[in-house]
Amino acid sequence: MMFVTKKMIEIRNLLQQVGQSTSVTLPSIVVIGSQSSGKSSVLEAIVGHEFLPKGTNMVTRRPIELTLVNDPNARADYALFPDISSERITNFSSIQKTLMELNQAVPDSECVSDDPIHLTIHSPRVPDLTLTDLPGYIQVAGENQPRELKRKISELCDKYIRGPNIILAISAADVDLANSTALQASRRVDPRGERTIGVITKMDLVDPEKGAAILTDKQYPLRLGYVGVISKLPAQTGLFKRDSGNLLSVISRNEKAFFSAHPSEFGPDTGVNIGTITLRKKLMQVLERQMSSKLQVTSQDIRRELEETTYQFKIQYSEQPMTAEAYLAGSLDDFKHLFRKFTSGFQRPQMQDLLKNALDQRMLDQLAARYWNKPMGDLSFVPPEDPHNIADLPKADLPSTDLPRDHPNPPYWHKQLDLAASELTHSGVGRLATTVIASAIQSDVDKLINKSTFAKHPSARQVIAEAASTVLADRAYTTIDGIETSLKPYRFDVDIQDHEWTQGRDHVSGVLKTELEHCQTAMKKLEEVFGDKKRLREVMTFIDRVRKRDIVVGRESETAGAGGFSGELLARGREAVFLRDRAEIIKMRMLAVKSRQCKTKENKYYCPEVFLDAVATKLSAVAILFLNVEMVNDFYTRFPREVEAKLGEHMLDGGLQKFVEGDANIRRHLDLIKKKELLELVLAKIESLNSLEGHEKGDMGGR
Ligand code: GDP
């Protein structure tokens, strides 16, 4: 019973899970040989299946670390590629295909890769063994092969044939041993031939005497000896079915037939080692011995590495435990906490301010269209004989007490104000409110993500952002409709209370001030772009004169220019005139709003700014009242749950692993914990193995 090997293979698999970061290596059997020496055939005979890619152009480009697991309970032989998936493969020709693809994935520029392919084969018929199949040495690089291929293969093999590995050096009987690349390589690293097993293939291709002479070679003596094999399937294989797993029995039957036909060369008394079954046994014994002899050293290595890992865990992470699940749960809790804080700061007053700002813009549009519409500097513009000019409203440059009482056309201004108010109430406040608040929430959610650990995880980020928009969109239509319905009564008449008027008057002064500043900034920018201020004044004066009909210019001159100014200059000039006039009007209206006349709501027709501001405030209050109940409160309860559910789905099928890998710090933390846990397990296993071995040796010594 190859007990140590079995246990050591388990340990080896655990160490493989630690990955690159461990320096502990356990002995394996590495298989080297020239191309066509029969290396693949020998390996397949040992395994009992054809599973290696073949073909004249096939060059193995990556080492294959093959682990054979004796599994008495396996109903059918199966293989696993542990690095790729946990799927059991029972069809061995599909392994051939996968290996081929993995080989071909190594780019030509790289020639060969030292990143091994891990393959495990479970069967009741295989012994516990680890074998590493290396790319075959090539003598002369083929036409389509990269020039450095030969050198790179040789360097790769050199890495693997170092101690404590056992070298399985394959040479064909029909090639002079002196020319065997495998033996030449092994001699370089194992000059005394202590850890090399020589395998002579193709024994059927040479005379029995010559074959027997090779096996007892004295020129290149090996402590572990030579074994002669015939790994080629005979032409007539009778009932043998490929892929049936009994390849070895067919091959050994064939070998027996050949060797027993030459008893004087290969008979039991000759002392030569022959046959694949013998080879297999030898491999098991040698590996078991090597593993046992390395037990002490290996357990010391592991203890040292565990101490180092524990120390790192202490100084880097203060021994803080961590799991991927805990990281996710912690991130989610933090995010929910941030969200709760946000909700308490984003309530009705804040929402109302946002909506009011958006409505202020609409109010300014109404004011501009109905009240501030001084004719602009269109060169062909002929001012209409319109008595209802802005000049009819209270003038700012007059003392505020001196407002015209007998208005020239009061019904006109009444109508203007009614229309402006009605347009404001009809302007789709439901949609505006819903859009403004939803997009504010969405962008705040983005900011929260940025502050949270999810900022490092683009895909989780997207899941959260989508959860927000889904929950918001769910209620959007009913919210819009609901707001519009609740605003219906205001479409015909808005009753403003005294305190609302006072509030509106205060507020609109600020709105006008900001608007004035915008005009002034735009004007400054224009002057900067223009450069020549004097010239700008000239073109503005010209436009003013055209407007006052001091001079008349034909329409055709507009594009070409007029008054000695180019078309472009005139366009800039018109813009400047517009900004200047707008600023003047606003200044005038700011004074008017402050005047006594605008103190009371009875004068609303003279103070449209105040009235419209009060209306906009009222609309936003009603809209937000409804929106808060219908959409925002619902969002505040549902969103955290939706995030949790959607992230949960996202973390399935390896999502959690990817999520954790997105955070380099956490990944390192988790890797270190995993390494520590695995090393602890490995150490426990190896120590129990050590004490068992010790007992056995003790028992034997006592006998
Ligand atoms: P590799 O390139 O070293 O892996 O060699 P293969 O295992 O692919 O074998 C190369 C060729 O030698 C194939 O055509 C095999 O069928 C043949 N071959 C392998 N072993 C033997 C053997 O023991 N006897 C004979 N006659 N041919 C063999």
Side-chain angles (χ1 to χ4, degrees):
M1 190 44 193
M2 300 293 124
F3 186 69
V4 176
T5 307
K6 194 169 191 69
K7 289 286 162 203
M8 289 292 253
I9 285 176
E10 278 174 30
I11 289 170
R12 192 170 198 269
N13 289 343
L14 289 174
L15 287 172
Q16 258 166 22
Q17 286 178 41
V18 176
Q20 303 279 333
S21 67
T22 175
S23 57
V24 179
T25 48
L26 295 180
S28 172
I29 299 169
V30 294
V31 191
I32 53 169
S34 309
Q35 261 185 338
S36 301
S37 57
K39 189 159 67 73
S40 310
S41 307
V42 171
L43 276 170
E44 289 180 336
I46 292 171
V47 173
H49 286 277
E50 288 187 86
F51 68 98
L52 290 167
K54 289 193 209 90
T56 41
N57 274 331
M58 190 56 223
V59 177
T60 306
R61 288 176 172 244
R62 285 173 69 180
I64 303 169
E65 284 197 15
L66 180 65
T67 305
L68 304 184
V69 180
N70 178 269
D71 185 349
N73 302 320
R75 289 243 200 94
D77 297 4
Y78 67 88
L80 291 169
F81 285 101
D83 300 339
I84 302 175
S85 86
S86 52
E87 190 198 344
R88 292 180 173 198
I89 308 163
T90 46
N91 174 0
F92 279 71
S93 41
S94 88
I95 304 176
Q96 230 161 7
K97 211 171 133 242
T98 307
L99 287 173
M100 186 105 83
E101 284 163 5
L102 290 170
N103 265 314
Q104 279 163 350
V106 179
D108 270 356
S109 56
E110 230 180 278
C111 295
V112 286
S113 152
D114 56 6
D115 175 27
I117 299 168
H118 292 112
L119 172 65
T120 309
I121 294 175
H122 293 245
S123 161
R125 281 176 291 214
V126 294
D128 290 302
L129 278 181
T130 61
L131 294 152
T132 306
D133 183 26
L134 291 164
Y137 291 109
I138 52 173
Q139 307 304 331
V140 192
E143 238 175 67
N144 301 323
Q145 289 167 349
R147 269 209 241 137
E148 309 117 272
L149 187 62
K150 186 175 167 180
R151 181 176 53 84
K152 289 224 169 158
I153 289 178
S154 174
E155 282 170 4
L156 173 66
C157 292
D158 281 355
K159 246 193 215 172
Y160 274 85
I161 58 179
R162 288 182 203 140
N165 286 341
I166 295 151
I167 305 167
L168 198 64
I170 315 271
S171 318
D174 59 348
V175 175
D176 192 351
L177 269 204
N179 293 332
S180 160
T181 324
L183 285 173
Q184 283 166 4
S186 96
R187 207 161 316 117
R188 263 189 280 124
V189 292
D190 176 30
R192 290 163 57 184
E194 283 170 338
R195 50 183 184 91
T196 305
I197 303 173
V199 176
I200 307 298
T201 59
K202 310 191 186 181
M203 289 294 286
D204 55 324
L205 295 187
V206 292
D207 284 344
E209 299 91 62
K210 188 179 172 208
I214 300 174
L215 299 182
T216 51
D217 188 82
K218 294 282 178 300
Q219 213 174 344
Y220 307 106
L222 296 174
R223 280 263 295 280
L224 303 172
Y226 287 92
V227 184
V229 296
I230 304 170
S231 330
K232 189 184 165 100
L233 272 179
Q236 290 294 324
T237 49
L239 288 175
F240 172 70
K241 270 212 327 264
R242 281 178 191 275
D243 206 19
S244 61
N246 62 0
L247 180 66
L248 178 61
S249 56
V250 180
I251 281 179
S252 68
R253 218 178 302 137
N254 185 48
E255 282 175 327
K256 215 177 238 168
F258 178 85
F259 291 124
S260 57
H262 307 285
S264 51
E265 286 82 11
F266 304 117
D269 308 330
T270 58
V272 294
N273 290 315
I274 42 156
T276 307
I277 302 242
T278 312
L279 173 64
R280 230 168 75 146
K281 268 194 207 136
K282 200 176 193 64
L283 293 180
M284 290 156 69
Q285 282 162 359
V286 171
L287 189 62
E288 176 85 359
R289 215 181 307 137
Q290 187 80 339
M291 291 274 196
S292 301
S293 74
K294 294 292 167 214
L295 218 53
Q296 284 289 344
V297 184
T298 312
S299 62
Q300 275 164 18
D301 286 352
I302 289 169
R303 197 170 301 123
R304 204 174 308 124
E305 192 149 324
L306 179 59
E307 273 165 19
E308 172 61 25
T309 310
T310 310
Y311 176 69
Q312 290 300 334
F313 185 47
K314 195 169 176 174
I315 57 159
Q316 285 185 40
Y317 302 103
S318 320
E319 299 180 326
Q320 211 183 323
M322 172 63 73
T323 61
E325 289 77 8
Y327 172 62
L328 173 63
S331 308
L332 196 60
D333 276 353
D334 291 349
F335 183 75
K336 282 186 188 165
H337 180 70
L338 283 172
F339 181 68
R340 266 197 303 278
K341 240 169 86 186
F342 155 73
T343 59
S344 60
F346 194 68
Q347 292 291 333
R348 261 168 54 198
Q350 290 78 16
M351 289 182 238
Q352 208 172 311
D353 279 353
L354 274 182
L355 177 58
K356 180 65 188 8
N357 278 344
L359 278 177
D360 284 349
Q361 216 44 55
R362 292 199 170 172
M363 172 184 75
L364 286 172
D365 291 347
Q366 287 295 319
L367 287 167
R370 292 182 189 282
Y371 294 94
W372 306 342
N373 54 351
K374 214 172 178 184
M376 279 305 103
D378 180 351
L379 292 186
S380 60
F381 181 81
V382 181
E385 298 302 325
D386 182 4
H388 314 300
N389 195 289
I390 185 74
D392 296 339
L393 281 171
K395 279 218 173 89
D397 49 358
L398 294 173
S400 54
T401 45
D402 198 9
L403 287 165
R405 284 188 192 252
D406 301 318
H407 201 272
N409 192 354
Y412 174 81
W413 293 116
H414 287 201
K415 206 172 134 215
Q416 285 294 77
L417 189 62
D418 291 346
L419 280 175
S422 150
E423 264 186 49
L424 210 53
T425 49
H426 281 83
S427 65
V429 177
R431 182 170 295 277
L432 180 73
T434 310
T435 323
V436 165
I437 302 304
S439 56
I441 290 180
Q442 189 86 48
S443 88
D444 278 320
V445 165
D446 274 349
K447 283 184 207 142
L448 296 182
I449 301 175
N450 277 340
K451 277 195 228 157
S452 75
T453 17
F454 293 115
K456 293 180 198 145
H457 306 278
S459 60
R461 215 193 151 102
Q462 199 182 338
V463 170
I464 301 174
E466 275 170 15
S469 64
T470 315
V471 178
L472 286 170
D474 253 12
R475 292 285 180 106
Y477 285 108
T478 51
T479 309
I480 294 173
D481 277 357
I483 295 176
E484 290 300 339
T485 313
S486 53
L487 289 180
K488 256 187 196 151
Y490 301 100
R491 290 202 180 152
F492 308 100
D493 185 26
V494 188
D495 190 19
I496 299 296
Q497 305 298 311
D498 285 340
H499 72 277
E500 292 170 332
W501 181 269
T502 314
Q503 239 177 34
R505 188 165 167 243
D506 282 350
H507 184 263
V508 85
S509 299
V511 175
L512 291 176
K513 192 167 164 252
T514 314
E515 189 62 11
L516 177 63
E517 282 162 8
H518 286 165
C519 280
Q520 287 165 338
T521 318
M523 187 67 171
K524 250 196 206 123
K525 226 182 222 159
L526 193 71
E527 282 173 357
E528 268 167 35
V529 173
F530 202 85
D532 188 349
K533 272 194 195 171
K534 200 173 147 228
R535 189 85 176 130
L536 187 62
R537 297 270 170 266
E538 280 168 13
V539 72
M540 285 168 80
T541 312
F542 174 74
I543 291 166
D544 282 340
R545 288 184 62 206
V546 173
R547 209 167 46 168
K548 285 188 198 145
R549 304 186 71 192
D550 275 0
I551 45 171
V552 178
V553 184
R555 176 172 266 288
E556 69 279 8
S557 52
E558 190 169 353
T559 42
F565 302 106
S566 71
E568 198 198 331
L569 214 56
L570 287 170
R572 290 267 163 83
R574 268 199 302 277
E575 208 179 321
V577 166
F578 168 82
L579 289 170
R580 181 204 62 198
D581 289 354
R582 173 60 49 95
E584 271 172 19
I585 294 172
I586 293 175
K587 271 190 221 156
M588 191 174 94
R589 295 306 305 157
M590 281 167 78
L591 286 173
V593 165
K594 273 196 195 138
S595 74
R596 237 181 35 170
Q597 184 78 9
C598 284
K599 241 181 170 170
T600 58
K601 64 178 185 180
E602 281 66 39
N603 282 335
K604 69 176 182 182
Y605 295 112
Y606 297 117
C607 313
E609 292 86 355
V610 181
F611 180 67
L612 293 178
D613 189 281
V615 170
T617 304
K618 201 155 203 146
L619 296 180
S620 51
V622 175
I624 293 300
L625 193 68
F626 188 86
L627 183 131
N628 189 39
V629 175
E630 182 66 21
M631 189 173 87
V632 180
N633 279 345
D634 171 70
F635 179 79
Y636 285 175
T637 10
R638 272 180 58 206
F639 174 63
R641 286 191 224 143
E642 184 79 2
V643 168
E644 191 162 347
K646 284 283 170 328
L647 276 179
E649 282 169 29
H650 182 69
M651 297 303 159
L652 298 175
D653 293 334
L656 182 62
Q657 196 53 34
K658 269 198 213 128
F659 174 71
V660 171
E661 278 166 12
D663 187 333
N665 281 333
I666 293 297
R667 194 187 53 218
R668 273 197 295 273
H669 191 165
L670 287 173
D671 282 353
L672 199 67
I673 291 180
K674 184 177 159 203
K675 182 174 175 183
K676 186 170 159 282
E677 285 170 357
L678 283 168
L679 287 174
E680 279 163 356
L681 187 63
V682 165
L683 190 65
K685 275 183 186 279
I686 209 160
E687 279 184 344
S688 80
L689 198 57
N690 238 334
S691 63
L692 263 177
E693 279 278 293
H695 275 305
E696 267 175 27
K697 278 190 188 132
D699 287 351
M700 272 159 47
R703 253 177 241 156

